[in-house]
């Protein structure tokens, strides 16, 4: 399996602990990018990529903010190398956005009526039995 893309700058201490998981997610990302998307809607072909991007960022976020298992230097390294999405992680720290799936779901310019995505509506506010699926990333509900 190939290495996660990095600059020539040496990685900080603790990199060897997270590298196998990041390499596994990188392999899944490559598979998702090359996957055959015949028979799917145009937007559906990007959903696995958004899901893996979210997993990778959430992995780094949980290691630093929840479990405190990695150092600040390693977090900064991952953000600088674009291994994790710093804008998405900044939203996760805010109340109400703890489970946000992607940044496109809160951009009002991407919707017809200038509001948030349907996946941001709490499930108890939706019609009962209705399955909601975000057109941007395939999320089935990420409101807090």
């Amino acid at each position: 399996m190939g290495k996660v893309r990095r600059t020539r700058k040496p990685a900080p201490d603790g990199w060897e602990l997270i590298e196998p998981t990041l390499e596994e997610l990188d392999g899944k990302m490559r598979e998702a990018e090359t996957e055959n998307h015949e028979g799917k809607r145009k937007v559906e072909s990007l959903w696995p990529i958004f899901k893996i991007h979210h997993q990778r960022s959430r992995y780094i976020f949980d290691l630093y903010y929840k479990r405190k298992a990695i150092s600040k230097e390693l977090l900064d390294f991952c953000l600088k190398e674009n291994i994790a999405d710093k804008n998405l992680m900044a939203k996760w720290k805010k109340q109400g956005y703890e489970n946000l799936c992607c940044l496109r779901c809160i951009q009002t310019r991407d919707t017809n009526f200038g509001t948030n995505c349907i996946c941001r509506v709490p499930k108890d506010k939706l019609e009962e039995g209705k399955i909601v699926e975000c057109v941007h990333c395939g999320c089935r509900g990420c409101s807090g």
Side-chain angles (χ1 to χ4, degrees):
M1 194 176 287
K3 298 242 182 209
V4 176
R5 284 184 300 165
R6 293 191 347 217
T7 58
R8 295 189 187 275
K9 184 178 176 186
D13 291 337
W15 173 255
E16 56 280 345
L17 299 173
I18 65 171
E19 188 176 24
T21 305
L22 292 176
E23 284 182 359
E24 180 183 332
L25 289 171
D26 197 42
K28 286 182 182 178
M29 181 69 84
R30 268 189 249 107
E31 287 175 21
E33 289 170 348
T34 60
E35 183 180 287
N36 187 5
H37 55 270
E38 285 183 30
K40 292 183 181 178
R41 296 184 313 207
K42 187 176 182 181
V43 292
E44 279 183 47
S45 61
L46 296 176
W47 291 354
I49 295 170
F50 277 111
K51 184 179 176 185
I52 296 167
H53 175 76
H54 177 273
Q55 282 178 331
R56 192 171 51 196
S57 295
R58 182 54 91 170
Y59 174 68
I60 300 294
F61 180 83
D62 286 344
L63 283 177
Y64 183 73
Y65 291 103
K66 304 276 179 167
R67 294 195 277 166
K68 300 184 182 351
I70 61 172
S71 65
K72 175 74 171 152
E73 293 81 32
L74 186 54
L75 174 70
D76 291 340
F77 178 78
C78 290
L79 295 176
K80 184 180 171 203
E81 297 293 323
N82 293 324
I83 294 169
D85 188 345
K86 94 175 155 183
N87 295 323
L88 189 57
M89 290 172 78
K91 285 292 183 189
W92 286 337
K93 290 190 267 181
K94 295 182 179 178
Q95 185 178 5
Y97 295 99
E98 296 91 357
N99 301 321
L100 182 66
C101 54
C102 71
L103 293 172
R104 291 185 67 193
C105 289
I106 58 171
Q107 291 178 344
T108 57
R109 69 171 184 247
D110 289 343
T111 60
N112 292 340
F113 303 107
T115 58
N116 286 340
C117 181
I118 189 69
C119 70
R120 296 294 301 153
V121 177
K123 291 188 190 262
D124 60 343
K125 304 276 189 217
L126 295 171
E127 295 175 26
E128 201 170 314
K130 185 177 181 182
I131 297 175
V132 174
E133 210 169 59
C134 172
V135 294
H136 303 300
C137 61
C139 171
R140 292 183 178 238
C142 64
S143 60

